[in-house]
Amino acid sequence: MIRVKRHASFGGWVDYYKHASRATGTEMKFSVYLPPQAAKERRPVVYFLSGLTCTEENFTVKSGVQAHAAKHGLIIVAPDTSPRGAGIEGETASWDFGAGAGFYVDATVEPWAKHYKMFSYVSEELPALIAAELPVRADRQGVMGHSMGGHGALVLGLRKPEQYLSVSAFSPICAPSRCPWGEKAFNGYLGPDREAWRQYDATELVATARIRRPLLIDQGAADEFLESQLKPQLLAAACTKADHPLELRQREGYDHSYFFIASFLGEHVEHHARALLA
């Protein structure tokens, strides 16, 4: 991997990298925050998965995560949200499908299947690369995300609980099989068989979770996508039925923006720190 730029921040470093990905067959980019503690010892790592239209920069630039990560000594990794420049016809035609909208699934439908392997990328290839190249504790990983990335974080946490010891999300797409964004993505990447969609739907996965890691979710009550796309009530009902621990916090007056994320991000980083530093 190649470091393309570096910025000092809160005693540590914000680094941007690019590398050739085996999973996607394209160049992939990600950002890393290395807290000052990482100069002396390996530290736990938290992956942040961003939402529709985002790149590896949005969370890193807008959230203010560096101050919180430096306080707790956590490494933060934020990957891009999809392959770029795959050469697929129509990949940039829509803001909610294709480039910038990988939905953290492994596509099985052509022409997307060759390159759009974001589940494998974020859960296998990228952590292996980070563990080999940076001072992380590979046995202490957490995952969080926002919107489409909140969906990705919940799915990773539920499907790979041995890998991710802590899970949280802001405004996640909780039941993608039952909302327009998810139905468009799943139809396009996975085909019309809804049974194939279940493995990427947190509301479906809680019933069979092998380890019941507590889920922390913050949701803005003034979020313009709350009723049409996010549907946290469906996940809450599924968690109640499965007796899966869920803390769902509704924040009055807050919307879907990074102003919302920045307001409560410190609590999420602390949630991960408690689990990863225990």
Side-chain angles (χ1 to χ4, degrees), residues 43-47 74-75 136-142 162-166 272-278:
R43 301 300 299 177
V45 58
V46 178
Y47 291 85
L74 299 180
I75 294 172
V136 303
R137 286 193 58 183
D139 62 331
R140 312 301 291 178
Q141 297 183 50
E162 295 87 358
Q163 180 173 345
Y164 301 102
L165 306 185
S166 55
H272 290 276
R274 282 197 302 269
L276 300 178
L277 298 173

Side-chain angles (χ1 to χ4, degrees), residues 2-6 15-18 27 29-30 56:
I2 300 171
R3 190 172 71 203
V4 295
K5 55 183 175 177
R6 163 169 274 199
D15 291 330
Y16 290 89
Y17 289 94
K18 62 182 180 180
E27 180 181 88
K29 297 179 179 180
F30 60 90
E56 72 284 358

